[in-house]
Amino acid sequence: MNRKLNENALTAEQVEEIQSQIKKVKAAPVRETFKIRSIFHGEQFRDYLGRTFVEPPTDLKPVEHDCYLPKKLVHTWSGHSKGVNAIRFFPKYGHLLLSACNDGQVKIWDVYNKQKCIRTYIGHQKGVRDICFSNDGRRFLSTGYDNNINLWDTETGECIGSYSNGKTSLCVKFNPDEDKQNQFLAGSSDKKIYQWDINTGKTVQEYDEHLGAVNTITFVDENRRFITTSDDKSIRVWEWGIPVVIKTISEPHMHSIPSIAVSPDRNWFVGQSLDNQLIVYSTNDKFRMKRAFKGHITAGFACQVNFSPDGHWLMSGDSDGGLWFWDWNTGRIMKKIHAHNGVCIGAEWHPIETSKVATCGWDGNIHYWD
């Protein structure tokens, strides 16, 4: 019996090896579970009148005005640790600026007063691809490469809802109609556009005709129709709620269009074509191509194209960090600004200020021009 016990006993080397393995297990870091949250950076949540930062300043009045080209850099917002993918001004007033970054965070910045970050929304474990305000700006959507779409309360920072079907959504857009603000569209990497209902948290419609990842969603024709573009190098037009394409624009010479902007009069839309030109189409029933704007280099990058609020100027970033301006009527290049060190991916014209433009780039900065 004693002989058997001695035969089964562990050697000193084996004991040491087991002890070292136990130490490794104990020393292994415990992965924390990801928690959706937001951080308020302001000094106080309400001012002496009881208003929060979401309320626009009383002296801001949305009025029609002529726009002028910006001349110089007046402010830089820095706080993101990686490239900024998208920026959006607060609807109608523009007193706040929302930014989406590859660091997985969304930040909202003060435009008028101290011009600092007011709140950080932490809800994605990977980079944030796109953001979209609701009509009143009280809520916004964010979509990230972690395959989640989050709905946020702008004021409180609460994540109201999270939506996922396991696919990466590359663009999100609320239905602009006031009675349909509970529904949004998401263009997905699996070639489909999903229509989500916020109240139920489920998809209510799928639009499945594209042959590549869907890059943009744009509402036209009093929001009865919407336009989508894709990596399949086509433009498709849909009726809201009906998953059948009513118009397909696909020519052999066409390239992928990763950004679209609609003119203020709603009669035209401009696409950022990856063959280094901006192509213009009408938004009426025929959707015919009108002309093209050239001069900048954007091949390989989803640089945002945008209009001035008066419709007189067209602008776009480029792959070298430049910001270009064209005269909408003549098609002439009017100005180029070196805006960023690296790609200038986003450009937004302030809705009220006559000559102020915000840009974002993959250098992690957001610049404000006047």
Side-chain angles (χ1 to χ4, degrees):
M1 188 73 177
N2 291 333
R3 189 185 298 169
K4 283 185 180 180
L5 287 171
N6 291 333
E7 287 175 359
N8 293 331
L10 296 173
T11 64
E13 291 179 358
Q14 289 173 325
V15 170
E16 281 183 17
E17 187 177 345
I18 292 170
Q19 287 176 342
S20 66
Q21 292 293 334
I22 291 171
K23 286 180 181 177
K24 285 181 182 178
V25 171
K26 286 182 178 178
V30 179
R31 292 187 64 182
E32 294 183 7
T33 55
F34 181 76
K35 184 180 179 182
I36 296 177
R37 64 195 189 279
S38 74
I39 302 169
F40 180 66
H41 303 289
E43 295 176 2
Q44 53 189 24
F45 189 67
R46 297 183 183 275
D47 63 9
Y48 68 98
L49 293 174
R51 303 184 312 163
T52 65
F53 67 88
V54 174
E55 303 290 337
T58 53
D59 57 343
L60 278 184
K61 299 286 188 289
V63 292
E64 290 188 10
H65 56 271
D66 292 332
C67 293
Y68 306 94
L69 297 181
K71 295 180 179 179
K72 61 182 180 179
L73 178 66
V74 293
H75 187 71
T76 297
W77 290 286
S78 57
H80 285 297
S81 60
K82 294 184 179 179
V84 182
N85 284 325
I87 49 174
R88 301 285 183 268
F89 275 112
F90 193 90
K92 296 180 185 177
Y93 297 98
H95 62 294
L96 300 171
L97 182 69
L98 195 68
S99 62
C101 181
N102 277 328
D103 60 10
Q105 297 181 358
V106 178
K107 290 179 181 286
I108 197 161
W109 310 82
D110 183 17
V111 174
Y112 279 101
N113 299 314
K114 295 184 179 179
Q115 295 187 315
K116 294 183 178 180
C117 180
I118 301 176
R119 190 180 281 278
T120 300
Y121 309 85
I122 304 168
H124 295 278
Q125 298 187 63
K126 295 182 180 179
V128 184
R129 178 69 166 80
D130 194 21
I131 43 179
C132 179
F133 271 118
S134 61
N135 286 355
D136 60 3
R138 297 279 177 178
R139 300 179 298 171
F140 70 88
L141 292 163
S142 65
T143 179
Y145 292 109
D146 59 354
N147 300 343
N148 289 323
I149 302 170
N150 291 336
L151 176 66
W152 299 89
D153 185 301
T154 310
E155 183 177 87
T156 65
E158 178 190 358
C159 183
I160 305 167
S162 190
Y163 313 90
S164 178
N165 54 10
K167 310 296 180 184
T168 302
S169 296
L170 302 176
C171 54
V172 285
K173 189 80 73 172
F174 274 107
N175 186 312
D177 284 343
E178 287 294 341
D179 61 343
K180 295 187 180 72
Q181 286 281 284
N182 65 314
Q183 297 194 29
F184 68 88
L185 295 176
S188 179
S189 60
D190 68 349
K191 312 171 189 177
K192 297 179 183 180
I193 302 106
Y194 294 92
Q195 182 177 325
W196 290 86
D197 189 309
I198 290 170
N199 298 334
T200 63
K202 298 179 180 178
T203 55
V204 294
Q205 190 62 271
E206 291 182 12
Y207 304 84
D208 183 13
E209 289 278 347
H210 278 295
L211 305 175
V214 180
N215 294 320
T216 69
I217 300 169
T218 310
F219 282 89
V220 295
D221 191 19
E222 297 180 347
N223 307 323
R224 291 191 293 261
R225 298 173 179 174
F226 63 92
I227 300 163
T228 58
T229 62
S230 165
D231 285 349
D232 63 9
K233 304 179 183 180
S234 71
I235 302 171
R236 297 176 196 257
V237 186
W238 314 75
E239 292 271 3
W240 172 262
I242 303 173
V244 180
V245 171
I246 60 173
K247 174 83 173 180
T248 300
I249 305 170
S250 182
E251 301 292 342
H253 61 80
M254 288 178 64
H255 287 68
S256 180
I257 301 171
S259 174
I260 276 185
V262 180
S263 62
D265 61 11
R266 312 295 295 177
N267 293 328
W268 310 95
F269 71 89
V270 180
Q272 180 77 265
S273 179
L274 288 186
D275 59 348
N276 302 323
Q277 60 179 347
L278 304 174
I279 49 177
V280 182
Y281 289 87
S282 64
T283 58
N284 60 24
D285 288 338
K286 295 183 179 178
F287 293 93
R288 287 181 176 169
M289 183 176 172
K290 182 189 179 186
R291 54 177 169 157
F293 295 82
K294 299 180 181 180
H296 63 320
I297 305 294
T298 60
F301 297 96
C303 297
Q304 184 183 2
V305 58
N306 227 322
F307 281 91
S308 61
D310 64 352
H312 191 81
W313 311 104
L314 188 65
M315 68 174 176
S316 167
D318 74 1
S319 59
D320 294 325
L323 179 63
W324 296 69
F325 296 91
W326 292 263
D327 187 301
W328 171 250
N329 296 318
T330 66
R332 289 175 53 206
I333 297 172
M334 302 305 293
K335 193 166 197 170
K336 182 194 174 185
I337 298 172
H338 182 70
H340 291 272
N341 297 321
V343 185
C344 177
I345 203 76
E348 286 268 322
W349 209 295
H350 195 282
I352 294 179
E353 300 286 346
T354 56
S355 61
K356 290 188 175 174
V357 172
T359 62
C360 66
W362 285 1
D363 57 2
N365 292 325
I366 304 165
H367 292 319
Y368 198 33
W369 305 86
D370 188 9

